[in-house]
Amino acid sequence: MQAAPARATTATAAHAFSALPSTLAVRPPSVTGALLALERLLLRGGQRTARRNAWTAVLEDRRRAKDRHEAQHLLEAAAAPGPRDT
């Protein structure tokens, strides 16, 4: 009598595994997608917005620093005597 439930369980497990290959065909999420999903899970809307605003500010600061560096290079080149290589 005990063999019948074991067979039913095995048949059920075999049925569950038969559906497995179709679910494995789905591409796993990218690292970016996984991090964004984790961010959504852990942070509330306001915190998420603040973090994005802070990152935007960092990128803007980097852009301004690059612009300052280029402007300084041009001013030094213009002030230097000799041929102009700008």
Side-chain angles (χ1 to χ4, degrees):
M1 276 198 184
Q2 291 178 352
R7 285 186 192 131
T9 303
T10 305
T12 305
H15 176 62
F17 287 126
S18 68
L20 200 57
S22 66
T23 58
L24 290 178
V26 176
R27 267 179 62 171
S30 66
V31 173
T32 302
L35 290 175
L36 287 173
L38 184 62
E39 179 185 37
R40 271 186 241 112
L41 179 67
L42 295 176
L43 300 178
R44 296 181 185 203
Q47 290 172 327
R48 189 173 29 217
T49 301
R51 173 174 257 159
R52 287 193 182 134
N53 288 344
W55 182 246
T56 301
V58 166
L59 295 177
E60 185 64 22
D61 286 346
R62 288 178 182 175
R63 186 193 61 77
R64 278 193 298 251
K66 180 182 172 190
D67 289 346
R68 275 194 309 272
H69 178 71
E70 291 173 357
Q72 181 181 3
H73 176 72
L74 288 173
L75 289 172
E76 288 172 355
R84 308 277 162 120
D85 266 351
T86 56

